[in-house]
Each structure stands twice: as structure tokens, then as C-alpha cells.
Amino acid sequence: MPSRLEVIHSPDTVKDTVARLGREISTAYAGKPLLLLGVLKGAWVFLADLARALTIPVQVDFVRLSSYGDSDTRGQGTRVRDADFDCRGRHVLVVEDIVDTGHSMVALLELLREKGAESVALCALVDKAERREVEVAVDFYGFRLAKGFVVGYGMDYGEDYRSLPGLYELHLQKDD
Ligand code: IMP
Ligand code: MG
């Protein structure tokens, strides 16, 4: 049997959810200059739609994260790449596709505080809260998910599926 995609959230549901996040974030940051900091590559579609769902002015920048270490330290060795933006004294909202174990976000949020951000918050399209290994608060989330590997709307498996318009669970078939 070939690998299979199961729809978790349709494009329309994703659209409605991003609109709802846009309203929440616009209210929360009314009157405050906001930097949206997208985490590449997974957040590229989400950030593009979210930015246009906001009714407040924002600036946009991106970071890339890479992980290192062996399987025992999975996720704990996170290196932040291309973090050459200035966030001193600024309100920063990190825009991420999925928060899973939480290790990569802990590393990024710590760095932003060290760099002198006025405030740091996190918006994730999908929060896999039950899989958390370290505490990280997701201030704004689109969907909660207990398990499963998600692709589409920017998210990939081996660089495939990023351009799909909804959210899908990937059921992998090993010999595929
Ligand atoms: P963690 O929270 O440090 O474990 O890492 C989360 C990152 O792993 C996310 O930003 C994604 O890039 C990736 N990831 C975790 N779960 C999934 C998934 O279900 N689909 C696609 N990427 C995922
Ligand atoms: Mg990511």
C-alpha cells in the first residue's frame, strides 16, 4: 500500500483559523510595533497568510534553525542560523509551524531574550502539547494535535507536500 494522506483540517478550516489568529494577535498588539519572526522553512505559508490577516502594521524577518547532536540529545542541540536581525527593545512574535518536543523553541526564545527583545511570544499553527519534553508556552495556536505527523501548508516530509493547501496526516508506508 502506498503512503497515504489523510485530511486533518481542510483549506477552509485553516483559512478560518488563521483569520481568528489574526484578530487575536491584532488585538493583543494594538498600538505596539511588532516584529513577526518566521521560522524557516515550515512557517513560510503560515506567516504569509497570518501577516495579511493582521490589521496592525508589522515588520517581518526570518530565522533558520538547525539541530545537531546524536539521537539521545535530539532537539536539545538547536543552533539558530541567520539571526542577524536587531530585536533590542522590540516586541517579537515568533511564527512557527509546529511545536512538538519544545526544544527548538526554548532555544530560540532564550536567544531573543538575550538579544534584548522587549517582549517575546510564540504563535504556532499546530501545538502538539502532549508531546512536550520541555516547558514552552504557545501564546497563540491554531490547532492542537495529540499525535501523528503533519504535512501541508508549508510543512514537509523530506521536502515534499509543502505546497498542499490544508493540513494532512501522513501515513507512511516503509517500502514506498
Ligand atoms: P521540537 O518542538 O523542537 O521537537 O521541533 C519542532 C519542529 O519539528 C517543528 O518546527 C517542525 O519543523 C518539526 N516537526 C515536528 N512535528 C512535525 C510534523 O508533524 N510535521 C512536520 N514537521 C514537524
Ligand atoms: Mg518548524
Side-chain angles (χ1 to χ4, degrees):
M1 197 174 72
S3 293
R4 193 166 55 81
L5 294 178
E6 178 189 354
V7 180
I8 314 177
H9 294 293
S10 70
D12 278 348
T13 306
V14 173
K15 200 174 168 190
D16 290 347
T17 298
V18 173
R20 189 254 301 158
L21 286 171
R23 289 191 296 273
E24 287 177 14
I25 292 165
S26 298
T27 302
Y29 288 93
K32 293 179 183 172
L34 179 63
L35 173 66
L36 292 182
L37 187 64
V39 182
L40 292 171
K41 295 180 192 173
W44 66 289
V45 176
F46 180 37
L47 186 140
D49 285 346
L50 181 66
R52 287 174 293 176
L54 297 174
T55 54
I56 54 170
V58 291
Q59 293 188 351
V60 174
D61 215 324
F62 294 93
V63 284
R64 295 191 78 153
L65 305 181
S66 52
S67 45
Y68 55 89
D70 54 34
S71 54
D72 291 338
T73 61
R74 194 176 65 84
Q76 292 169 30
T78 297
R79 194 160 62 88
V80 180
R81 295 157 61 190
D82 305 332
D84 54 354
F85 52 85
D86 183 14
C87 63
R88 186 166 300 278
R90 305 178 76 184
H91 298 284
V92 182
L93 180 64
V94 173
V95 179
E96 170 67 311
D97 52 0
I98 293 192
V99 180
D100 187 30
T101 65
H103 289 292
S104 51
M105 281 306 99
V106 163
L108 177 59
L109 299 177
E110 262 176 33
L111 177 86
L112 296 173
R113 290 191 186 102
E114 274 168 26
K115 279 166 80 76
E118 168 79 22
S119 75
V120 178
L122 174 58
C123 173
L125 183 65
V126 179
D127 184 2
K128 288 181 170 173
E130 290 170 45
R131 287 184 36 87
R132 209 70 99 244
E133 292 175 6
V134 284
E135 202 181 315
V136 48
V138 179
D139 303 280
F140 305 93
Y141 68 87
F143 304 102
R144 280 231 160 113
L145 204 71
K147 59 178 176 60
F149 194 84
V150 187
V151 295
Y153 203 68
M155 289 171 262
D156 77 309
Y157 177 74
E159 293 301 324
D160 287 328
Y161 310 115
R162 289 193 194 275
S163 61
L164 296 179
L167 290 183
Y168 309 82
E169 180 173 351
L170 177 64
H171 299 277
L172 259 188
Q173 204 53 39
K174 285 218 165 51
D175 51 331
D176 214 24

mmCIF file of all heavy atoms in Angstrom, residues 39-43 65 95-99 104-105 155-156 162, ligand 2:
data_model
loop_
_atom_site.group_PDB
_atom_site.id
_atom_site.type_symbol
_atom_site.label_atom_id
_atom_site.label_comp_id
_atom_site.label_asym_id
_atom_site.label_seq_id
_atom_site.Cartn_x
_atom_site.Cartn_y
_atom_site.Cartn_z
ATOM 1 N N VAL A 39 9.931 31.075 11.334
ATOM 2 C CA VAL A 39 10.952 30.028 11.408
ATOM 3 C C VAL A 39 10.887 29.229 10.105
ATOM 4 O O VAL A 39 9.895 28.568 9.804
ATOM 5 C CB VAL A 39 10.724 29.103 12.624
ATOM 6 C CG1 VAL A 39 11.824 28.053 12.712
ATOM 7 C CG2 VAL A 39 10.647 29.921 13.909
ATOM 8 N N LEU A 40 11.967 29.339 9.341
ATOM 9 C CA LEU A 40 12.041 28.646 8.049
ATOM 10 C C LEU A 40 12.399 27.185 8.240
ATOM 11 O O LEU A 40 13.078 26.836 9.192
ATOM 12 C CB LEU A 40 13.102 29.322 7.177
ATOM 13 C CG LEU A 40 12.727 30.741 6.712
ATOM 14 C CD1 LEU A 40 13.920 31.404 6.037
ATOM 15 C CD2 LEU A 40 11.526 30.714 5.790
ATOM 16 N N LYS A 41 11.994 26.283 7.325
ATOM 17 C CA LYS A 41 11.174 26.681 6.214
ATOM 18 C C LYS A 41 9.688 26.532 6.526
ATOM 19 O O LYS A 41 8.836 27.097 5.842
ATOM 20 C CB LYS A 41 11.479 25.778 4.999
ATOM 21 C CG LYS A 41 12.850 25.888 4.434
ATOM 22 C CD LYS A 41 12.930 24.903 3.233
ATOM 23 C CE LYS A 41 14.343 24.716 2.771
ATOM 24 N NZ LYS A 41 14.405 23.648 1.725
ATOM 25 N N GLY A 42 9.366 25.733 7.542
ATOM 26 C CA GLY A 42 7.990 25.275 7.756
ATOM 27 C C GLY A 42 6.944 26.365 7.882
ATOM 28 O O GLY A 42 5.780 26.147 7.552
ATOM 29 N N ALA A 43 7.332 27.560 8.370
ATOM 30 C CA ALA A 43 6.320 28.590 8.651
ATOM 31 C C ALA A 43 6.074 29.534 7.479
ATOM 32 O O ALA A 43 5.345 30.514 7.617
ATOM 33 C CB ALA A 43 6.730 29.399 9.887
ATOM 34 N N LEU A 65 16.619 27.306 11.877
ATOM 35 C CA LEU A 65 17.162 26.546 12.997
ATOM 36 C C LEU A 65 17.772 25.276 12.432
ATOM 37 O O LEU A 65 17.254 24.706 11.478
ATOM 38 C CB LEU A 65 16.061 26.160 13.986
ATOM 39 C CG LEU A 65 15.213 27.300 14.545
ATOM 40 C CD1 LEU A 65 14.176 26.742 15.526
ATOM 41 C CD2 LEU A 65 16.086 28.333 15.239
ATOM 42 N N VAL A 95 6.775 33.044 14.745
ATOM 43 C CA VAL A 95 5.734 32.331 13.999
ATOM 44 C C VAL A 95 6.310 30.990 13.541
ATOM 45 O O VAL A 95 7.270 30.947 12.772
ATOM 46 C CB VAL A 95 5.248 33.161 12.791
ATOM 47 C CG1 VAL A 95 4.184 32.399 12.012
ATOM 48 C CG2 VAL A 95 4.711 34.509 13.261
ATOM 49 N N GLU A 96 5.715 29.921 14.058
ATOM 50 C CA GLU A 96 6.271 28.579 13.858
ATOM 51 C C GLU A 96 5.178 27.649 13.326
ATOM 52 O O GLU A 96 3.993 27.860 13.595
ATOM 53 C CB GLU A 96 6.815 28.105 15.221
ATOM 54 C CG GLU A 96 7.234 26.671 15.348
ATOM 55 C CD GLU A 96 8.446 26.293 14.526
ATOM 56 O OE1 GLU A 96 8.467 26.627 13.337
ATOM 57 O OE2 GLU A 96 9.343 25.630 15.068
ATOM 58 N N ASP A 97 5.586 26.639 12.572
ATOM 59 C CA ASP A 97 4.587 25.690 12.060
ATOM 60 C C ASP A 97 4.043 24.802 13.182
ATOM 61 O O ASP A 97 2.854 24.798 13.461
ATOM 62 C CB ASP A 97 5.147 24.862 10.896
ATOM 63 C CG ASP A 97 6.479 24.187 11.209
ATOM 64 O OD1 ASP A 97 7.005 24.336 12.330
ATOM 65 O OD2 ASP A 97 7.001 23.492 10.312
ATOM 66 N N ILE A 98 4.962 24.048 13.815
ATOM 67 C CA ILE A 98 4.541 23.085 14.836
ATOM 68 C C ILE A 98 5.466 23.170 16.034
ATOM 69 O O ILE A 98 6.686 23.236 15.866
ATOM 70 C CB ILE A 98 4.625 21.642 14.294
ATOM 71 C CG1 ILE A 98 3.601 21.427 13.191
ATOM 72 C CG2 ILE A 98 4.427 20.618 15.385
ATOM 73 C CD1 ILE A 98 3.412 19.978 12.807
ATOM 74 N N VAL A 99 4.907 23.157 17.225
ATOM 75 C CA VAL A 99 5.738 22.959 18.411
ATOM 76 C C VAL A 99 5.484 21.536 18.885
ATOM 77 O O VAL A 99 4.345 21.155 19.163
ATOM 78 C CB VAL A 99 5.426 23.976 19.520
ATOM 79 C CG1 VAL A 99 6.329 23.721 20.725
ATOM 80 C CG2 VAL A 99 5.619 25.391 19.006
ATOM 81 N N SER A 104 13.409 23.166 20.292
ATOM 82 C CA SER A 104 13.902 24.205 19.383
ATOM 83 C C SER A 104 13.345 25.575 19.761
ATOM 84 O O SER A 104 14.057 26.582 19.685
ATOM 85 C CB SER A 104 13.597 23.855 17.927
ATOM 86 O OG SER A 104 12.244 23.532 17.768
ATOM 87 N N MET A 105 12.099 25.635 20.227
ATOM 88 C CA MET A 105 11.538 26.937 20.608
ATOM 89 C C MET A 105 12.175 27.474 21.890
ATOM 90 O O MET A 105 12.386 28.680 22.013
ATOM 91 C CB MET A 105 10.021 26.846 20.754
ATOM 92 C CG MET A 105 9.295 26.872 19.440
ATOM 93 S SD MET A 105 9.738 28.300 18.386
ATOM 94 C CE MET A 105 10.923 27.581 17.267
ATOM 95 N N MET A 155 4.457 22.676 5.617
ATOM 96 C CA MET A 155 5.180 21.602 6.332
ATOM 97 C C MET A 155 5.479 20.427 5.417
ATOM 98 O O MET A 155 4.687 20.092 4.534
ATOM 99 C CB MET A 155 4.360 21.136 7.529
ATOM 100 C CG MET A 155 4.325 22.177 8.627
ATOM 101 S SD MET A 155 3.157 21.727 9.888
ATOM 102 C CE MET A 155 1.765 22.695 9.380
ATOM 103 N N ASP A 156 6.617 19.807 5.673
ATOM 104 C CA ASP A 156 7.106 18.800 4.732
ATOM 105 C C ASP A 156 7.419 17.454 5.372
ATOM 106 O O ASP A 156 7.517 17.328 6.600
ATOM 107 C CB ASP A 156 8.408 19.299 4.098
ATOM 108 C CG ASP A 156 9.602 19.165 5.048
ATOM 109 O OD1 ASP A 156 9.492 19.630 6.211
ATOM 110 O OD2 ASP A 156 10.614 18.565 4.655
ATOM 111 N N ARG A 162 4.906 20.513 0.899
ATOM 112 C CA ARG A 162 4.813 21.863 1.476
ATOM 113 C C ARG A 162 3.729 22.709 0.825
ATOM 114 O O ARG A 162 3.163 23.595 1.456
ATOM 115 C CB ARG A 162 6.149 22.605 1.321
ATOM 116 C CG ARG A 162 7.266 22.086 2.214
ATOM 117 C CD ARG A 162 8.415 23.087 2.208
ATOM 118 N NE ARG A 162 9.657 22.544 2.751
ATOM 119 C CZ ARG A 162 9.964 22.520 4.034
ATOM 120 N NH1 ARG A 162 9.118 22.987 4.920
ATOM 121 N NH2 ARG A 162 11.116 22.024 4.437
HETATM 122 MG MG MG B 2 9.446 24.393 12.368
#
